[in-house]
Amino acid sequence: MSMQHPFDRALALQHSDIRVGHFTGATSPDYWNMVGPFGGATAAIALQSVMQHPDVLGTPIALTVNFAAALEAGAFDVQATAVRTNRSTQHWTVQITQPGASGAPNMTTTATVVTAARRETWGQSDLPMPEAPSPETVERLSVGPAGVAWLDQYEMRLFSGSIPAKWDASLHHSESRLWLRDAQARPLDFASLAAMSDVFYPRVWLRRARHVPAGTVSITTYFHAGPAQLAEVGTGYLLGRAVGQQFFNGFFDQKAHLWSEQGVLLATSNQIVYYKE
């Protein structure tokens, strides 16, 4: 019997008998960041709770995750609630909690999800994939620093906008481009696409070549493909692009795009990030 993929272990949720849409899970050391889980893994858990809900309609088109506090290592609870169901769209709220010191639930993450029953219509992309070298010609990034386990779970091949070699406070552009896929082969799905939308390091590090504390406050991901397009990707690479937009008084936003090797735009995201001087 084959071993379960680390990402599937991190996403494992058990539907409890407390109420419909209530799940329990536990943080994964495989996707640990410096002070808590990798934000992309937390976003994927929020989405997974909706996708496993018995009343879900269609597939995701939008996911917004707000990180109120870092999850601590250990068990957590997730509540996914369908707040409105229309003919073709369904609107969800998600809450992730952990017991506080008093035992009362401590809110760590809130999210909203929109799913939809897509119908065949005309479609076209006005955001073509940028030119890029083939993945095999780009050197793979080495493993991440101690305590940042999640970086080891991805194969990333940066060919533009690498982390600065010197933290000299010089000014640079804020754009990075890279090839990306799971380090251990796993077919792409909506949960992994949500997680990969958050793999880009803070743009302020590249823009200023200054290693300041930074962390995502809120991220929104839009899904532009269906199950068939994700199945065509399989275990292949995604081309990722991220760029900052505005840096102001301790917060900045960065946008990201993810294409398949065939040039299909699969997802776009935008996040607001805190940084400390």
Side-chain angles (χ1 to χ4, degrees), residues 90-127:
Q90 194 171 44
H91 299 258
W92 297 82
T93 61
V94 180
Q95 297 179 332
I96 302 178
T97 60
Q98 285 184 310
S102 65
N106 181 32
M107 185 70 65
T108 67
T109 312
T110 65
T112 59
V113 178
V114 181
T115 61
R118 290 183 180 267
R119 295 176 175 83
E120 289 290 334
T121 65
W122 172 89
Q124 184 64 51
S125 176
D126 282 350
L127 191 64

Side-chain angles (χ1 to χ4, degrees), residues 3 35 52 67 88 96 108 110 165 176 199 205 223 231 243 250 267 270:
M3 294 182 63
V35 296
Q52 289 187 199
F67 302 95
S88 59
I96 302 178
T108 67
T110 65
S176 292
V199 301
W205 292 357
F223 303 95
V243 64
N270 205 80

Side-chain angles (χ1 to χ4, degrees), residues 11-65:
L11 287 184
L13 296 174
Q14 290 75 46
H15 194 235
S16 75
D17 56 4
I18 296 177
R19 69 184 71 87
V20 66
H22 181 264
F23 299 87
T24 59
T27 59
S28 169
D30 294 326
Y31 288 86
W32 200 253
N33 206 348
M34 291 175 286
V35 296
F38 163 49
T42 302
I45 287 168
L47 181 61
Q48 188 77 344
S49 70
V50 171
M51 299 306 293
Q52 289 187 199
H53 196 287
D55 299 329
V56 66
L57 169 72
T59 57
I61 60 172
L63 165 68
T64 296
V65 182

